[in-house]
Amino acid sequence: MDVDVLIIGGGIAGLWTVDQLRRHGYRAFLVENRSLGHGQTITSQGIIHGGLKYSLRGVLTASANEIREMPLIWRECLSGQRDPDLSNATIRSHCCYLWQTDSIASQAGMWGASLQLRVKPEMIPVSHRPDLLKQSPGTVYRLDEQVVSPGSVLRCLRERNREALLLCNKENGIEFSCSQSGTVNSVTIRCRGDELYLTPRCVVMTAGIGNQQLNERAGRKQPMQRRPLQMVLVRGGLEMFQGHCVDGAKTRMTITSEVISEGETVWQLGGQIAELGVSMETEELIQHAAQELKSILPGLNVQDLKFATYRVDRAEKKNSLGLRPDAPQVLLRKNVLTCWPTKLAFAPRAAGMIEEMIADRLNLAPSVIPGGDGYQLESWPTPDVAQSPWETATNWYQVSGDQVVPVRATPEKHAA
Ligand SMILES: Cc1cc2nc3c(=O)[nH]c(=O)nc-3n(C[C@H](O)[C@H](O)[C@H](O)COP(=O)(O)OP(=O)(O)OC[C@H]3O[C@@H](n4cnc5c(N)ncnc54)[C@H](O)[C@@H]3O)c2cc1C
């Protein structure tokens, strides 16, 4: 089957790209070998950053400059005013809080660069603070950065593009046939005993951590870097709360939360704690997380909380110093593009860069009329959306004094 663009990997980058290319008349398909968003997108904290996090040193860094247009684009998509229409996605909050544990007065210059950002922090009076920050000694700011539920965004994009999403086997589900010069001529996709032979004009790799191996399979070297994290999950009588506790130029902890299926709220703890957590055992990190929570949120009772952790790697284009790139990375070799968006928030920008390269550098014009039918593969299996980290976490712990003890599983209720 002839295809304009074959996208490999269905995280936020691949899904946003397939949606955009299809809207613009390209006959584009996406192939996924596990579940949509598996890896980074489903485990992310869902903050649509506007750049403040990257300007804490008081200067508008390259990262902050690159990302500052993103919140407006997302806001319009989330309200259904712009495509992709994400109005069915869950917005966890329209804002985040920013606070410090000590007085912020000495850090007066800290927000200097924020003046040049589209989304600026706004100081809030004590009477308007959320309960959790009432006892905080420093100044508290409100930042109008939206926080989305990544799973719900993935579900929206899946619904919009269902007929273009193809599942393949986890192992060896994709085979490339390339010319000597490295052009991909055809791709064979295998799923549950069936085979599909595709002849794409262009291939886009948006497989996150899988990009390196996919490039190797297509006969090329594409070095990348992984920046590991050990994130912490917390539940037990918590309220919804999204915010960054900043310590100088560092984000000491980023807390995001979501109401989970049984009506309970779960918190995801990221930032510095998740970076430091990489070298810790689970129990050690949980003990540390409980102490950090007591220290940064003095009003929080950590006694009855349950904790779990999960490990995940951020996947990016290789940077000589191992630092996070400032912007989405899209590389072109022959008819293959490889993309790492660097941030969930950057998905619209990454999709735009990919489309520009396809149109301008590869000179590929769309071959189907937008909305027309170019998708007759209804019987091919479609990938599901990946499970959220709290759905897959099996080992939960409680902190009792200096002990971290496993939480005994609640006995299953059997029908009479
Ligand atoms: C813990 C954490 C928190 C984060 N929080 C934020 C945040 O708050 N805000 C923000 O803007 N960014 C955040 N990020 C960054 C953001 O999540 C990532 O930059 C973004 O999700 C990467 O998307 P992606 O589509 O490139 O990759 P992924 O989401 O990793 O998706 C890759 C997809 O490719 C598939 N795949 C892999 N190999 C193959 C193969 N061989 N064949 C077919 N398919 C394959 C995978 O199964 C997966 O579905 C966070 C990241 C992490 C890890």
Side-chain angles (χ1 to χ4, degrees), residues 8-14 31-49 168 174 206-210 213-214 217 229 231 310 312-314 339-346:
I8 306 178
I12 192 67
V31 58
E32 164 62 50
N33 76 344
R34 290 168 190 261
S35 46
L36 301 170
H38 175 91
Q40 299 166 90
T41 304
I42 197 69
T43 59
S44 79
Q45 293 194 269
I47 301 173
I48 308 304
H49 301 286
C168 73
I174 299 173
T206 49
I209 226 144
Q213 198 191 41
L214 278 169
R217 288 222 198 114
L229 295 170
M231 302 283 290
Y310 63 92
V312 58
D313 286 356
R314 290 161 293 178
C339 168
W340 288 280
T342 307
K343 286 265 136 205
L344 175 88
F346 267 137

Side-chain angles (χ1 to χ4, degrees), residues 198-214:
L198 301 173
T199 45
R201 296 200 285 162
C202 163
V203 172
V204 179
M205 295 182 183
T206 49
I209 226 144
N211 275 348
Q212 188 165 346
Q213 198 191 41
L214 278 169

Side-chain angles (χ1 to χ4, degrees), residues 142-156:
R142 181 193 143 110
L143 183 64
D144 286 335
E145 284 184 348
Q146 291 192 303
V147 187
V148 297
S149 157
S152 72
V153 171
L154 291 165
R155 279 188 287 279
C156 279

